[in-house]
Amino acid sequence: MKKFILFLLFGISLLANDIIIRESHCSFDQTVANIKDIARSKGLTLFAVINHSGNAKAVDMNLNDSKMIVFGNAKLGTALMQQDMSVGLDLPLRILVYRDGDGSVKMAYRDGSWIANHHILNAKQKIEKINKGLDKITMKAGQCKKD
């Protein structure tokens, strides 16, 4: 019984994790390009790509490959901000692409439920749309054909 309870608590803690990390089967650069292309193809606005590793290099510091892709949907974001202006602190959406210490390429993003849990919102369907969109983008962006 104790093992079952521990297993259950472990499962719940995994579901409560606000940051989703997914491995990419593409190169770092291809993963970044894929996310940008997919976001544009879905009609999302690409606001910025922040080159964390490039910024580190500019100050003579080392950092594994790391870029943040910032994108969004003004109609969806505006609807959320109309309910709680502080949502603007967490929008637009972001996906961090990075190379971990083992050389694997990863994509990380904050689950939409984090936004719902940290702001005064009545927007279950909109949060589900965010989650589904981020899931689809990262699933597709991390798929590359093997030669």
Side-chain angles (χ1 to χ4, degrees), residues 37 54 76 95:
D37 290 345
L76 181 61
I95 298 175

Side-chain angles (χ1 to χ4, degrees), residues 1-13:
M1 183 66 170
K2 287 182 184 178
K3 287 183 180 180
F4 175 75
I5 291 172
L6 286 173
F7 179 74
L8 183 63
L9 289 174
F10 178 72
I12 291 170
S13 70

Side-chain angles (χ1 to χ4, degrees), residues 32-93:
V32 171
N34 288 349
I35 292 170
K36 290 166 45 178
D37 290 345
I38 294 165
R40 285 184 187 118
S41 75
K42 293 188 172 293
L44 301 172
T45 301
L46 181 64
F47 294 105
V49 176
I50 301 167
N51 186 347
H52 291 305
S53 51
N55 291 335
K57 186 176 181 178
V59 293
D60 296 322
M61 296 178 76
N62 292 320
L63 188 65
N64 287 352
D65 289 334
S66 175
K67 289 185 179 180
M68 178 82 71
I69 299 99
V70 183
F71 59 94
N73 173 324
K75 188 173 183 177
L76 181 61
T78 301
L80 293 173
M81 289 178 68
Q82 286 174 333
Q83 290 186 41
D84 184 348
M85 189 59 82
S86 69
V87 173
L89 291 168
D90 297 306
L91 296 175
L93 299 174

Side-chain angles (χ1 to χ4, degrees), residues 69-137:
I69 299 99
V70 183
F71 59 94
N73 173 324
K75 188 173 183 177
L76 181 61
T78 301
L80 293 173
M81 289 178 68
Q82 286 174 333
Q83 290 186 41
D84 184 348
M85 189 59 82
S86 69
V87 173
L89 291 168
D90 297 306
L91 296 175
L93 299 174
R94 301 172 290 283
I95 298 175
L96 175 68
V97 179
Y98 65 96
R99 189 178 310 278
D100 71 9
D102 295 327
S104 296
V105 176
K106 304 284 178 84
M107 298 170 285
Y109 61 92
R110 192 173 299 280
D111 185 82
S113 61
W114 190 93
I115 293 172
N117 293 335
H118 289 82
H119 300 283
I120 302 168
L121 297 175
N122 182 16
K124 185 177 179 180
Q125 289 179 329
K126 288 177 178 62
I127 297 302
E128 287 175 6
K129 184 174 183 174
I130 288 170
N131 284 340
K132 286 179 185 176
L134 288 168
D135 184 60
K136 286 179 182 178
I137 290 169

